[in-house]
Each structure stands twice: as structure tokens, then as C-alpha cells.
Amino acid sequence: MTQTDCYYLPARAASDLPKIDFGKLTPVVTGVEPHQGFQLFDTFDDELCGSGQLLCAVDGSLELLTADEGILNQPSDRNGPFVADLADGPVKAKLADVSPLRALLPVGAGEIQEARLALVDEERKTRVRANLRFLTTEQGGSAALIMLQGLRGYDKALDQARKHIIADGGAPLEDGSIYASLFPDRASYRAKPEIVFGRDEAAFDAANIIINAYLPIAKANEHGIIADHDIEFLHDYRIAFRKIRSVLSLFSGVYSEKATEKLKTRFSEMMEPTGRLRDLDVYLAEKDKFYALLPHSLHPGLDQLFAMFADQRKDAQAKLKSRLESKQYRQEMNDLAGLFAKRKKIKRGPDADRPALNYSRALIWKRYRKVCKIAAGIDAKTEDAEVHRLRIQCKKLRYLMEFFGPVFPKAEFLSVLKPLKRLQDNLGLFNDYSVQQDSLRALLDELGREPEKQNLEIAQSVGALIVVLHRKQLEERAKVMKSFAKFNSKTTRDTFRALFHDVKGKK
């Protein structure tokens, strides 16, 4: 079976399939089973459906409908909401590529009916077989899934069956749009919103369009943080606010100075309560990596350390939950959403009316030159602070480029964005190792004030971790220099100049 052999047809029932025109072949539906209840699961960002898979719990088993392997089954036993928590079996194996940080959450429920389809010729010989699934949901949606099975020697009949199904409105399962048929009122979630504005769009309007796109992303993740489904809800929430704050910081002159400072303060106050929980999430998510870094003799100290982190995380999550459910928070989110939706009350700056293309070229070129200047001076002896400064400037450059991507030629734009991302990835790891060392040193100081036996064991493990993380930080520094050498190639420099160095667009 090929990847395009699983199709779905919206709003179909078993009685409707014989009405499809299959040309010279006649559809015969047999083996229609009684209806059964089902519950559909996916990650919050529809990772399964987007890759051509539907995960259903049906009568004590997990049934995975796939675009390339048909139907896989295994018992529905599981110890938690993640793929790793599933019992071993073909479904778990097939879902191995699903993000381990994303929980499998209920999407909806309804009834499922199974049947078989045969396409027969004039002599009643079967030329094509298919497994059928008819789904109706509590939300009022429906769809028929057709998993075609070609028979040896009848490739032409299989091709014709595909064409007729597509002509009748069928779509391949991997296109990910079946949820629209099953759950017509459900809003799909994407962490990176599609942002569109033209080259001649005023910089003020471009900034508002970007902010107005990311505010709903933050809001969409609130329920997952409150319910504590998985740590990616908080991660995406923070990224959305970070992008908004970057617009306010980087789009100089678009808003008045007073408006900019006031907005930066308001968004900083939204972000500040999330920091401790995110730090603990990262530590706990990388728990296995920390154990792998140290010998087994130091693992008892890590056991106690991560038990302490887990307790602290419960408190941090409870505090953030309380904040997100507070009337004050809700009011502030509504006020900010209203402000950027209407925009009339936002004071404009001196560059508010500049065309987005010229405005962005000036900003990006200036930031690019700053990155090159800092990176050129980095060697094995450079202070960490300077490497961190390069990381910050690279992040600002990348954000600017991603914000204004819609106004530049896609191929050339991506050719310089990709090496920048690689450089930023190295710098990000360098920073992570540095931040983790600082955090662990602070923890050592705290433990030193309470010299209990338990704390001494933790301190031994923490001290060893700091040594290992420092070594990894030094290794990452060498990679930073190599990544910058690739980023600073003649081709990349020429492309940056062609795209962004517009003398007329300068202030």
C-alpha cells in the first residue's frame, strides 16, 4: 500500500458508498459491523493527524489508522498521557517519532462503524478491496475512511479507484484536514502563526499584525498550563510573549517612546511569573541526560536533587495556575487583545509610516553588521559575556528576519536564515550550559546554609555536574566558531547585501 492509498470522504455513511461512480467497476459493501464508541487522541498541535494518522480508542484497544500501513492495533493499556506510557506494541512503535514532550489528549468522541468494500467487474470478479471506517462525532461531524488494497495484476483498477475517489471529494489522510470534517467547530492550533503583510505596509501596521497574531497563541496555551497537560504549553506560551516583546524592542521608532516602554513593562509582567516553572520543566525534562553525565556512584544525590525539583515544580505550577485563573490576569489579557485589535489608542512613533520593506532592510542590515563584528573577535580566550552578547544579537537578527520574511524572496531569504539558525542553535546550547552552571552554583550556596547529610549528597552530585557542564560549554564554544565560519561565507555575505543593504532605505 502506498502513502496515498488511505483516503477520507466527508459526510459519508455505509449506505452512500455504492452511489460513488467507479466507472466500469461496481462497489459492493459487505461485513458492516455494529456501531462502537470511540475516542480520538492527538497532541495539541495535531502532530498525528498532520502526519496522516488517526489514533482511536475502541472497545479496549488502540487503533491507529495510517496513510502508509493501514490499520494497527494493540491493547489500550497505558500508564500516562505520553507515547512512552503506552504498552509495547505496533501502535507505540509507529508513534516513536511523536514528540516525547507532547501528551496524547482527547480530541473528541463519537461512533465508529467498520465494513469492507469490493470493487467488482462485470463478471463479479473483485479487482480492488478496501477496509472502511465510518466515523460520526458528538460534535456533529462525519467522515468515511477508505483504505484501498490493490490485488496482484489489477494495478490499473487500483489507479482508477483512486481517481474516482478523488473526483468524488476524497482527500489523502496525510493532508491533515479530516479534523475539519469530524470537528467542524474545532480551531486548529499552530505555534507559528501565518503572518502576511505587503512590502508597502506601514511599519506600524506590520508591528500590530505580528503582535495581534501572537497574542491568540499565548491565550490558546493557557488551558494546557492550567491543566498541566505537558510542558510544551508553557514553552509555546513563553515564545509567543517573547516574540511580542521582541517586536516592541526591535521595531524602533514605530511606537512612541512612552508607548513602547509602557507596553514592554506590561508584557514583561505577563512573562515574569513563568520563569521558575520553565526552569524546573527543563531540568526535569533533561533528567536522563544529567544521569548519563555522572557515574552511578553519584546517582543517589541526583535522585534527591530531582525529587526536590519535582516538589518545587508542584508549587510553581500551582502558583502559575492561580495567576492564570485570576480576574486580574484575564482582564489584562483582554485589555491587551483589544488594544492591538483596534490600535487607535497606541501612540505612533516617527517611523510608523515607513514602508515595511525599506524599514526592515535598514533594521536587519544594521543587526547583521553587529553580529559579524562581534563574531569576528571571538576566539578560544574570549570572555563568556562576549559569546552571550553574540547569542543575543543573533536572536534579535533571527527574529527580525522571521518577522519580515513575507516581504522578501523566499529562496534567497531561506538560504541565509538556515545558517543563522545553525549558529544560533550552537549559541543556545552554550548559553544553556552556562545558565545551568549558574543555577547549580546558586543551589550549592543554598545547600551550604543547611549542612544536612542529605544535602551533602546532593552537593557532591551538583558539584560534579558543574564540572561536566563547564567542559561541554567549552566544546560548544569551538562549535560556535565553526558555525560562524559557515554563516560568514562569501555566498551568505553577498546574499545579505543583496537582500538588505538598501542605501535609500536607511534613516
Side-chain angles (χ1 to χ4, degrees), residues 401-421:
M401 292 176 65
E402 289 178 340
F403 289 149
F404 287 106
V407 302
F408 293 101
K410 187 173 182 179
E412 293 93 329
F413 182 80
L414 290 177
S415 72
V416 292
L417 185 60
K418 287 179 180 178
L420 174 61
K421 287 181 178 180

Side-chain angles (χ1 to χ4, degrees), residues 238-309:
R238 283 171 54 83
I239 289 293
F241 276 122
R242 191 178 297 159
K243 291 290 181 72
I244 292 170
R245 289 167 63 191
S246 294
V247 171
L248 297 171
S249 297
L250 298 174
F251 285 41
S252 58
V254 167
Y255 304 120
S256 71
E257 288 187 20
K258 186 176 180 180
T260 299
E261 289 307 312
K262 186 175 181 180
L263 287 168
K264 286 168 69 173
T265 298
R266 291 177 72 178
F267 281 108
S268 293
E269 289 174 350
M270 299 292 274
M271 278 279 285
E272 194 275 331
T274 68
R276 181 55 180 164
L277 179 57
R278 179 57 187 169
D279 289 343
L280 291 166
D281 280 346
V282 172
Y283 274 122
L284 291 166
E286 296 184 350
K287 179 179 176 180
D288 291 343
K289 294 180 182 178
F290 283 108
Y291 275 87
L293 292 174
L294 296 186
H296 286 281
S297 61
L298 292 174
H299 285 189
L302 289 183
D303 292 340
Q304 297 176 55
L305 175 66
F306 283 103
M308 182 175 69
F309 283 161

Side-chain angles (χ1 to χ4, degrees), residues 253-412:
V254 167
Y255 304 120
S256 71
E257 288 187 20
K258 186 176 180 180
T260 299
E261 289 307 312
K262 186 175 181 180
L263 287 168
K264 286 168 69 173
T265 298
R266 291 177 72 178
F267 281 108
S268 293
E269 289 174 350
M270 299 292 274
M271 278 279 285
E272 194 275 331
T274 68
R276 181 55 180 164
L277 179 57
R278 179 57 187 169
D279 289 343
L280 291 166
D281 280 346
V282 172
Y283 274 122
L284 291 166
E286 296 184 350
K287 179 179 176 180
D288 291 343
K289 294 180 182 178
F290 283 108
Y291 275 87
L293 292 174
L294 296 186
H296 286 281
S297 61
L298 292 174
H299 285 189
L302 289 183
D303 292 340
Q304 297 176 55
L305 175 66
F306 283 103
M308 182 175 69
F309 283 161
D311 287 339
Q312 291 176 354
R313 188 195 180 278
K314 289 180 182 177
D315 292 338
Q317 198 277 332
K319 288 179 182 177
L320 185 55
K321 176 179 182 292
S322 178
R323 170 176 166 75
L324 295 184
E325 291 178 328
S326 69
K327 183 178 180 181
Q328 180 183 3
Y329 172 82
R330 296 292 181 193
Q331 186 63 53
E332 177 67 349
M333 277 295 284
N334 290 336
D335 288 348
L336 287 169
L339 181 65
F340 283 96
K342 296 178 180 178
R343 307 171 190 173
K344 293 180 179 179
K345 294 183 179 180
I346 304 176
K347 298 296 183 181
R348 303 164 72 95
D351 291 321
D353 295 324
R354 290 187 65 188
L357 179 61
N358 288 344
Y359 176 74
S360 62
R361 279 177 167 167
L363 289 180
I364 293 171
W365 181 253
K366 181 179 179 181
R367 193 68 55 180
Y368 167 68
R369 296 295 295 162
K370 188 172 291 188
V371 165
C372 292
K373 183 178 180 180
I374 297 171
I378 290 179
D379 57 27
K381 297 180 181 179
T382 304
E383 294 289 332
D384 287 354
E386 194 69 2
V387 183
H388 291 311
R389 195 159 77 93
L390 175 62
R391 179 187 64 85
I392 292 169
Q393 293 302 325
C394 283
K395 182 171 71 172
K396 290 179 177 180
L397 174 60
R398 178 178 170 181
Y399 280 175
L400 276 174
M401 292 176 65
E402 289 178 340
F403 289 149
F404 287 106
V407 302
F408 293 101
K410 187 173 182 179
E412 293 93 329

